Amino acid sequence: MEKFIEAFQHIERPFAWLDYEALDQNIDFVNALATKPVRIATKSVRSVNVLKYIQRKLNNCAGFMTFTAAESIYLIEQGLDHLLLGYPTFEENSIKKLLTYSKEGKDITFMVDAIEQMELLQNCAASLQTTANICIDINISTDYKWIYFGTKRSPLDSIQKLKNLTDMLGDYPNVRIHAVMGYEAQLAGVPDLSHVASAKMRVKGVLIRRLKKQSLEKITAFRRLAVAHVKSIAALAFVNGGGSGSIAYTCAQKEITEITVGSAFFAPALFDDYDSLQLQPAVGFALRVTRQFDSHTFVCQGGGYIASGAIGEDRAPVFLNKQYQLLPLEGAGEVQTPFLDASASLKVGDTVYLRHAKAGELCERFAVLHCTRGKSYEGPILTYRGEQQCFL
């Protein structure tokens, strides 16, 4: 934090920051761990310039996983290519625009897991006399009956359901299988919680680690069978899997040809509790202390940047200085945030530095990331918001 004082002394609070030294360390960590090409998850970054920076630094970049059709169009217009839409889309005008770019030579792949999605892609592609490349999203979550471990998104959780979908491809001549994705969310997106202080969370962590271990066999078996089935009817350009929390495991899987990584580059607070990750906080925000309630209680302006997902304490931002803690009955506030300073060393006018629980979501609240390298201010970088873009 001391290195930020000089670099950011001229910046008005609140502001979002990016530490290039930490970002570079995280990119190096990914480069060392990923033995297969890396596809960058754009939702975890949400800045064109930072996406391009990470792309240049990666040893082997497969492209980008985007989160909406409109975002994909924007990124193509900014010079990016090799896009995999990570989620199905029903926005017809945007689909046609993307298909036009594809017809001109851009590498664009649409995600599907249902016939309705293929029907729309077929109609759009036929109207433009072109072909839509698709990636079939299989569901490799683990259903233990007593608990569902994973995500409830794609319905393709069996070979029969996958076969029912692929058997209908003959009715859609303008749709072509290009890839398969099997995202092990129960490994990549769930913290291990090995080192948490709370007894309740430690018990939860034991269960999570046990479930992760038990789910490995099913993930591997089903994904390999699914990929083999699709390969029997189509030549695949790539098989995508994984995420920041499962880099080493996913890269070791024979059927996988590339892995998606996003959050590992910024290292948000939720990723502090992954046993397999040694990352440095690269992005966060700064608030001004504007009030002092008593010797240990201070108030800063702003702070209520809460992460998406199931509501809980882990969705709140965290302080870089571990001696500062949010008040449990007030939390991070809309316009002001009271907090405890165990050291009682703060004074009104000081700055406190925090991290968002998730990665790219912070960029929806700030137009600029103020960048530092060591103690030197490296200037501002625009986020999507700063580029006047808002996709979700």
Side-chain angles (χ1 to χ4, degrees):
M1 285 172 291
E2 286 73 17
K3 67 181 181 179
F4 290 166
I5 295 174
E6 183 176 342
F8 297 135
Q9 60 182 337
H10 63 293
I11 307 297
E12 285 200 0
R13 280 66 166 151
F15 68 88
W17 52 266
L18 184 151
D19 182 344
Y20 271 124
E21 288 185 336
L23 176 59
D24 286 347
Q25 289 182 54
N26 295 339
I27 295 171
D28 289 344
F29 177 83
V30 173
N31 278 332
L33 202 58
T35 57
K36 293 180 178 178
V38 172
R39 188 175 293 273
I40 305 168
T42 62
K43 75 176 181 64
S44 300
V45 178
R46 306 195 198 201
S47 166
V48 173
N49 284 332
V50 181
L51 287 169
K52 290 180 177 179
Y53 181 88
I54 296 170
Q55 181 185 31
R56 290 194 302 269
K57 292 273 188 174
L58 284 173
N59 291 340
N60 193 345
C61 183
F64 303 88
M65 177 181 284
T66 61
F67 58 93
T68 74
E71 182 215 15
S72 302
I73 292 169
Y74 181 68
L75 293 180
I76 288 172
E77 292 171 347
Q78 304 309 305
L80 275 61
D81 197 1
H82 307 295
L83 307 186
L84 168 62
L85 278 75
Y87 314 88
T89 181
F90 271 83
E91 308 314 313
E92 186 172 346
N93 290 336
S94 292
I95 289 172
K96 288 182 176 179
K97 183 70 171 177
L98 287 170
L99 287 171
T100 299
Y101 281 126
S102 180
K103 197 174 181 180
E104 294 171 355
K106 294 293 184 180
D107 176 20
I108 302 166
T109 306
F110 296 87
M111 193 68 68
V112 303
D113 59 36
I115 198 66
E116 295 87 353
Q117 300 149 6
M118 291 204 301
E119 285 179 349
L120 179 56
L121 289 170
Q122 165 64 30
N123 293 337
C124 292
S127 70
L128 295 171
Q129 296 183 314
T130 190
T131 301
N133 287 332
I134 63 170
C135 177
I136 298 178
D137 183 6
I138 60 171
N139 183 349
I140 55 175
S141 299
T142 308
D143 189 354
Y144 292 107
K145 304 307 178 185
W146 60 277
I147 186 172
Y148 185 89
F149 194 47
T151 59
K152 293 186 176 181
R153 298 172 188 173
S154 168
L156 303 178
D157 59 359
S158 71
I159 296 299
Q160 186 57 55
K161 290 179 181 179
L162 175 61
K163 189 175 185 301
N164 291 344
L165 182 71
T166 57
D167 283 349
M168 303 181 74
L169 277 169
D171 297 331
Y172 305 102
N174 294 84
V175 173
R176 177 175 58 202
I177 296 178
H178 191 62
V180 171
M181 183 179 80
Y183 171 48
E184 51 272 65
Q186 65 270 47
L187 303 183
V190 180
D192 298 289
L193 303 177
S194 298
H195 309 292
V196 294
S198 163
K200 180 180 178 181
M201 294 300 285
R202 285 201 301 272
V203 171
K204 182 179 178 180
V206 171
L207 175 61
I208 286 173
R209 294 191 296 278
R210 185 174 299 168
L211 290 173
K212 282 187 174 186
K213 185 176 181 180
Q214 292 177 354
S215 68
L216 293 176
E217 184 177 346
K218 188 204 170 186
I219 290 172
T220 301
F222 176 54
R223 186 165 56 196
R224 288 181 181 174
L225 284 172
V227 170
H229 167 70
V230 179
K231 279 186 173 180
S232 72
I233 58 176
L236 295 180
F238 60 87
V239 177
N240 180 279
S244 294
S246 66
I247 298 173
Y249 165 78
T250 307
C251 284
Q253 305 310 301
K254 296 178 180 179
E255 74 279 9
I256 293 295
T257 66
E258 63 171 46
I259 180 171
T260 297
V261 177
S263 296
F265 299 118
F266 282 179
L270 276 172
F271 280 75
D272 290 349
D273 294 317
Y274 282 79
D275 294 345
S276 61
L277 301 178
Q278 290 83 48
L279 302 172
Q280 300 299 315
V283 171
F285 59 98
L287 304 177
R288 182 82 72 187
V289 176
T290 55
R291 286 176 160 179
Q292 182 172 359
F293 177 75
D294 57 32
S295 61
H296 287 82
T297 309
F298 295 82
V299 181
C300 51
Q301 189 169 35
Y305 313 132
I306 307 301
S308 63
I311 297 172
E313 292 181 12
D314 61 351
R315 302 292 139 165
V318 299
F319 290 94
L320 275 183
N321 189 327
K322 300 300 183 183
Q323 295 190 85
Y324 307 156
Q325 298 292 329
L326 296 174
L327 303 183
L329 295 182
E330 295 200 47
E334 179 185 8
V335 292
Q336 59 181 352
T337 297
F339 64 97
L340 290 175
D341 170 19
S343 66
S345 60
L346 284 170
K347 62 181 183 299
V348 172
D350 284 348
T351 299
V352 290
Y353 295 91
L354 301 93
R355 298 159 60 208
H356 200 270
K358 298 187 77 173
E361 288 184 7
L362 179 64
C363 292
E364 298 294 344
R365 303 301 297 262
F366 292 92
V368 165
L369 292 171
H370 288 283
C371 304
T372 181
R373 191 177 294 278
K375 295 182 179 180
S376 300
Y377 181 65
E378 294 284 305
I381 286 182
L382 294 179
T383 65
Y384 283 179
R385 286 286 184 162
E387 294 160 345
Q388 299 184 328
Q389 303 298 318
C390 178
F391 302 111
L392 279 180

